[in-house]
Amino acid sequence: MNKTSTVLKEKNLILAFAGFALWMVGLTVVGAVRTYSPVPFWDMWDGTLGFFMRLDGENNEWWMQHNEHRILLARLLFWADFKFFDGANWFLTAFNYFLIGGSAWVFYRILRAAAATEKPATEEVLLGLFLTAWLFLWTQKENMTWGFQSQFILAQLLPLCGLYWLYKSLAGIHAKRHFLTACVFGLASAGTMANGVLALPLMTCYALVARQNRLRTGILLSLSAAMLFLYFHDYRSPAAHSTLSQALRENPFGLLQFVLRYLGGPFYFLFGKEELGKLMMNGAALFLIGSSVGFTVKALRRPQENTLTLALLFFILYIGGSALGTAGGRLVFGLDHAFASRYTTPPLMAWAALLVLYSPSVLAALKTKSATVLLALAMLALPMAIFQTEAMQPDYAKVFQRKIAALALDLQARDEKQIKTVYPDPRRALVIAKEASVRNLSIFGDYPSRDMREQWGLTVPQQTLPACQGHLDAVEEIDGEGRLIHVYGWMFNVAGKNYPDVIRFLGSQGKVVGYGLTGQPRPDLAKAIDKKAFRAGFQGYLLANQRGKMLTLLGENPACQLQVKVPAPIISLTSAAGKITASLFFTEQSVKNATLDGSTVLPGNQWIGSDYYRSMIDGLQVYGSHIDSDANIGSISLRVKRGDRLFYRSGPKGGQQVLEISGSAIPPIKLPVAKAWALLDLNNALLPEGTFTVKFSDNGAGWGEWSAIAVRQSSH
C-alpha cells in the first residue's frame, strides 16, 4: 500500500471517529435544549434556591450537610447562578457539560501519557475521540440536564485529577508543583459528595505503593486525617438510608447485585433493558472487576514501573468503593434504584479508565488497522449511536407540568398533586416559593411570574384584540384548597397560527381572577386544527367563586382573547356536621341530611366493605370499596333523583375515584379527596329530571385509593 492511500485511509478513519464523537456530543446538547426548564426541580428547591436565601442568616451554610454529602463546590456554582445569571438554571446545565468535557480532556491526557509518544499518533486521536463519545453517553442524562448534579460529575473528575497529577509528580522539573496540584484536587474532592472523602486516603495508599518519599506520604496522610475529621465532625446520618454494615448483615446477595448493576449499568441501557441488557450488564461488571484484579496483580510486581497503571487502578477502586457505599445506603429503596440515570456517570468513567489500561494493545491494533479491533469498537459504537437518539425526543409534557407546578407555587395554590411533580414536600415548597416570590428570585423574578400574585383583582383596561379559538375543557377541585380551582383548556389564534404564552382570566368587570400557561401537548388539536396548535393546551388556576360565570381569557405574547363560561359544579361536597375524626360522630340532625337509604342500592353492588376506618355510624349504612386492603376496586350503583344527598368519603390519594351519571351527557366526574365524611349533594339543573342512576367507582388499586358512601339505614 503506498503512502498516499495510507494517509487517505487514516483521514477517513479520523473523519469517521470524529463524526461519531460529534454525533454523540451534539445529540446531548440537543437533549439539554429540549428538556431545559428554568423551574427548580427536586433537591434544587431546598438545595439551591433555599440555600441561597438562607445565606443571609447562616455563615456555616456552605459546609452544612445535604443528605449525607457536603456539596461545597456545587454550592459555589449555585451561588454564582443566582448572583450572575438570575438563577435561570442554564448556567448550571452548561457547566455540567463543561465538566464532562473536562473529563474527556483529562482521559485524553492520561491516554497520551500511556502511549508515551512525542506527538499524538492517528490511533491515539481515534481512541481519544471514542473516549469522548463514551463519556457523553445519554444514559447519564440526569447529570447532563439537571442543574443540581454538578457535584456528581465533580465527585469522579476531581479524584481522577488528584491521582493523575500525583502520578505526574513522580518525575520531571515540575514535580513539586504537580504534587501541590494533586493535594488541592484531593482536598477539593471532599467538597463534592460523601465518596469524595475517599480520594485523599486512596492517594495516600497510591503514594505508598508507588514508593513516594516519606515527606509526601506524610503530607497526604495528614491531609487525609484532617479532612476525615472535618468532614465527619458534627455529621448526622440520614434517617431514611440504610448503612453498608446493615446491608452486609441483612442482604449480602442484594448488595452484590446492586454493585453489579451499578458498575454494568451503561450496558443495561445500551442493550435494551431486557434480558439481553441484564446479561450484558452482569457480564460487563464482572469483566471490569476481573480485568482490574488482573492489572493490579501484574502492576504490583513492578510498582515503580507501572505508576500510571496503578493510578488508574486506584481510580477504578474509588469508583468501586463508591458503588459499594451507594449500595449500602440505597439498597433499602430496591435493586432497581441502581439503574438511576445519575448513577451511570461513575461507571462510564471507570470503563474509560479500563479502556486506557488496555490502550497499549488497542493502539497497537489500530496502528495496523486491525479489523478485529475496529469491528469491536463498531459493535459498541452502534448501540451507543442508536441509544443517543433518545436525546432528540422532546419531553414537552414534563417541561409543561413543571411550569404549572411553578405557577401553583407562585399563586400559593395548595395543589399537592401538581407540586409533587417538582418537589416531594408540597408544604415545604410553598414556604420556599413564598419567600422567593417576595424576593423575585429564580423563576419568580421573571415574566410572567414576577409580581403575579400582586396583580390579583386588578382591573385590566378593555382592548380590541384578535379573537382566538379555544375552550375551557375541565374544572377540577383541589383537595384542601377552597380558594382556587384547577382549570384545563386550549387557546389558539388560527389567523396568526400561534398561541399565547400566558393567559389572564378576567372577570365580569375586567378584574384578574386567575392565570393560565400554555404549552401542554395536544395531538388532537394538531390533527383537527393546525399542526402549530400541538402545544396550545393550557392549565391554570382560577378563583373558585367564578364557577358558573362568564370570563374573558386574555392571551399575552401574542395577544388575543376568548370568551368562555366556567362550568358550575355538577355535585358539591360539604363537610358533615359533627366532630370530624377518624370515626366521625354524627349528630341525629346530621344523619337526617342524607335523603337516600339502603333500598336505593341497585343489584350487583361490589362495595361490600367499608371505609378504611371501618366507621360505625348510628342510623347510617356504610358501603365501601375497602374490603381487606386498598387494592380492592369495584363500583356501586344507586337509583336517585335530583336533590338527593348522601355521605361520601375517600382515601388520601385521589384521581381514581369516579362518579358516572346515566341518562345525561355529563362526562365521568373525578371525585375529590374527602379525608373526612362529607355530604354529597346531587342538586344541579344539569342533572336529569326524574329518577336516574349514579355509579360510584373505585378504579385505584394503590395505597390510599379507596372510597365509601353512607346512606340512611333502610326502614325494612
Side-chain angles (χ1 to χ4, degrees):
M1 186 178 291
N2 59 43
K3 185 176 181 181
T4 303
S5 62
T6 301
V7 171
L8 185 61
K9 192 171 184 179
E10 288 183 351
K11 285 185 177 179
N12 289 338
L13 275 174
I14 290 175
L15 285 174
F17 275 71
F20 173 57
L22 186 61
W23 171 267
M24 297 295 289
V25 176
L27 287 187
T28 65
V29 175
V30 171
V33 172
R34 292 197 167 193
T35 59
Y36 168 74
S37 171
V39 179
F41 177 68
W42 226 244
D43 293 42
M44 296 183 77
W45 285 98
D46 195 62
T48 59
L49 182 54
F51 155 74
F52 186 78
M53 293 191 297
R54 291 192 299 269
L55 282 179
D56 293 344
E58 298 182 27
N59 294 326
N60 64 341
E61 184 68 30
W62 294 93
W63 192 243
M64 292 290 287
Q65 282 180 237
H66 180 84
N67 293 328
E68 66 268 44
H69 313 292
R70 299 191 187 273
I71 54 174
L72 172 64
L73 298 186
R75 282 172 173 156
L76 288 170
L77 296 173
F78 302 156
W79 176 85
D81 184 44
F82 281 100
K83 196 70 176 177
F84 304 112
F85 305 102
D86 299 322
N89 197 25
W90 65 263
F91 163 74
L92 295 175
T93 303
F95 202 86
N96 290 351
Y97 278 73
F98 171 78
L99 292 175
I100 295 173
S103 302
W105 176 75
V106 172
F107 271 114
Y108 183 67
R109 285 182 62 107
I110 298 173
L111 177 65
R112 293 276 297 112
T117 53
E118 217 174 291
K119 293 182 179 180
T122 299
E123 53 272 14
E124 293 171 43
V125 174
L126 297 178
L127 199 53
L129 288 169
F130 188 86
L131 277 168
T132 300
W134 175 257
L135 290 168
F136 274 90
L137 197 59
W138 190 244
T139 58
Q140 58 186 327
K141 62 182 178 181
E142 283 186 4
N143 294 335
M144 291 177 160
T145 61
W146 186 8
F148 189 76
Q149 291 301 92
S150 57
Q151 73 273 8
F152 216 100
I153 307 168
L154 283 167
Q156 327 309 322
L157 175 57
L158 296 188
L160 174 67
C161 290
L163 287 163
Y164 172 60
W165 262 271
L166 192 56
Y167 150 77
K168 285 172 63 70
S169 73
L170 293 172
I173 57 174
H174 301 302
K176 291 183 179 179
R177 184 193 305 172
H178 292 326
F179 178 75
L180 178 61
T181 302
C183 290
V184 171
F185 280 124
L187 287 168
S189 297
T192 57
M193 296 179 69
N195 53 332
V197 297
L198 297 173
L200 278 170
L202 286 175
M203 288 168 64
T204 304
C205 294
Y206 171 73
L208 286 168
V209 174
R211 299 176 185 174
Q212 289 211 357
N213 62 55
R214 293 180 180 178
L215 177 60
R216 289 189 175 185
T217 305
I219 291 173
L220 288 169
L221 184 61
S222 299
L223 290 175
S224 299
M227 185 50 68
L228 286 168
F229 173 79
L230 181 62
Y231 193 93
F232 290 105
H233 177 67
D234 199 28
Y235 180 87
R236 292 177 176 82
S237 297
H241 298 178
S242 61
T243 63
L244 180 58
S245 60
Q246 180 183 348
L248 279 169
R249 186 172 59 253
E250 297 177 0
N251 191 5
F253 182 67
L255 187 74
L256 174 62
Q257 285 182 294
F258 195 104
V259 170
L260 291 178
R261 291 185 178 205
Y262 187 103
L263 295 177
F267 295 91
Y268 170 76
F269 288 98
L270 289 179
F271 290 93
K273 303 180 187 178
E274 299 296 338
E275 291 306 314
L276 177 60
K278 291 179 180 178
L279 181 66
M280 296 296 292
M281 168 195 73
N282 289 321
L286 292 172
F287 180 79
L288 174 63
I289 296 169
S291 295
S292 301
V293 171
F295 277 112
T296 301
V297 172
K298 185 177 179 181
L300 288 177
R301 292 171 184 165
R302 292 188 176 89
Q304 290 180 299
E305 296 176 15
N306 295 286
T307 50
L308 182 58
T309 297
L310 286 168
L312 289 169
L313 288 169
F314 268 98
F315 176 69
I316 293 174
L317 178 62
Y318 170 80
I319 299 296
S322 300
L324 193 62
T326 302
R330 298 295 201 269
L331 182 59
V332 67
F333 301 122
L335 283 173
D336 285 347
H337 202 72
F339 293 139
S341 172
R342 63 186 180 277
Y343 289 154
T344 59
T345 295
L348 284 173
M349 296 184 72
W351 280 97
L354 186 67
L355 183 56
V356 175
L357 287 173
Y358 276 109
S359 64
S361 301
V362 177
L363 292 173
L366 286 174
K367 190 171 185 178
T368 62
K369 310 300 182 293
S370 167
T372 302
V373 171
L374 288 173
L375 181 61
L377 291 176
M379 288 178 66
L380 181 56
L382 181 60
M384 288 170 61
I386 294 173
F387 183 82
Q388 207 75 347
T389 59
E390 289 192 9
M392 292 193 294
Q393 304 301 319
D395 201 342
Y396 294 132
K398 182 183 290 184
V399 172
F400 175 75
Q401 291 302 327
R402 291 182 183 182
K403 187 163 65 170
I404 299 303
L407 178 64
L409 289 165
D410 193 20
L411 300 178
Q412 290 291 289
R414 295 191 295 274
D415 190 349
E416 294 192 1
K417 178 182 174 183
Q418 190 67 46
I419 295 171
K420 282 183 178 180
T421 62
V422 295
Y423 194 70
D425 185 350
R427 293 184 181 182
R428 174 65 179 156
L430 284 164
V431 172
I432 295 171
K434 187 174 183 179
E435 183 179 352
S437 180
V438 170
R439 297 172 60 171
N440 291 324
L441 292 174
S442 186
I443 52 169
F444 305 115
D446 292 332
Y447 174 84
S449 292
R450 189 180 181 93
D451 301 325
M452 182 179 281
R453 273 191 299 145
E454 285 72 14
Q455 296 175 28
W456 281 104
L458 294 182
T459 301
V460 176
Q462 289 188 349
Q463 306 174 58
T464 302
L465 297 174
C468 269
Q469 285 190 9
H471 190 257
L472 192 61
D473 294 332
V475 174
E476 187 178 86
E477 304 285 343
I478 304 171
D479 302 331
E481 169 65 77
R483 183 175 60 99
L484 298 171
I485 51 177
H486 196 154
V487 295
Y488 305 76
W490 62 276
M491 195 168 176
F492 185 68
N493 185 346
V494 177
K497 293 186 180 299
N498 51 31
Y499 52 86
D501 290 337
V502 182
I503 301 170
R504 294 192 196 194
F505 301 148
L506 306 183
S508 58
Q509 297 179 346
K511 291 184 178 181
V512 178
V513 293
Y515 283 94
L517 299 175
T518 58
Q520 183 169 21
R522 290 288 299 268
D524 57 326
L525 299 180
K527 183 178 180 180
I529 300 176
D530 191 291
K531 63 181 181 180
K532 292 186 178 180
F534 176 68
R535 298 174 66 191
F538 73 77
Q539 290 185 34
Y541 295 93
L542 175 68
L543 289 175
N545 60 13
Q546 298 299 308
R547 297 290 298 259
K549 298 182 180 179
M550 291 295 300
L551 297 182
T552 298
L553 272 57
L554 184 64
E556 299 179 5
N557 192 30
C560 65
Q561 62 183 8
L562 172 70
Q563 301 291 320
V564 299
K565 183 175 182 179
V566 185
I570 302 299
I571 60 168
S572 64
L573 279 176
T574 54
S575 297
K579 183 181 178 183
I580 297 176
T581 61
S583 181
L584 178 65
F585 170 74
F586 280 79
T587 64
E588 183 178 350
Q589 182 59 42
S590 64
V591 168
K592 292 180 179 179
N593 284 329
T595 61
L596 297 173
D597 61 29
S599 66
T600 62
V601 177
L602 297 177
N605 168 37
Q606 297 170 320
W607 284 19
I608 57 174
S610 182
D611 60 331
Y612 175 82
Y613 303 99
R614 306 292 180 189
S615 296
M616 302 292 289
I617 308 166
D618 289 340
L620 293 179
Q621 174 66 48
V622 176
Y623 298 88
S625 66
H626 193 285
I627 301 170
D628 49 39
S629 74
D630 295 4
N632 302 136
I633 60 174
S635 63
I636 183 172
S637 298
L638 298 90
R639 197 72 177 158
V640 302
K641 63 182 183 301
R642 191 188 301 171
D644 276 335
R645 298 184 300 273
L646 71 161
F647 293 103
Y648 174 79
R649 191 176 196 178
S650 70
K653 188 175 180 182
Q656 298 296 322
Q657 315 306 315
V658 177
L659 175 64
E660 297 174 73
I661 301 169
S662 66
S664 75
I666 299 170
I669 301 168
K670 287 186 179 180
L671 291 165
V673 169
K675 295 181 181 179
W677 285 106
L679 188 66
L680 191 153
D681 194 343
L682 296 167
N683 188 16
N684 190 290
L686 296 176
L687 293 172
E689 294 183 1
T691 58
F692 56 94
T693 301
V694 294
K695 180 181 177 182
F696 292 86
S697 297
D698 170 15
N699 300 321
W703 174 88
E705 293 180 324
W706 56 266
S707 48
I709 62 170
V711 296
R712 296 171 68 174
Q713 291 178 345
S714 302
S715 56
H716 54 81

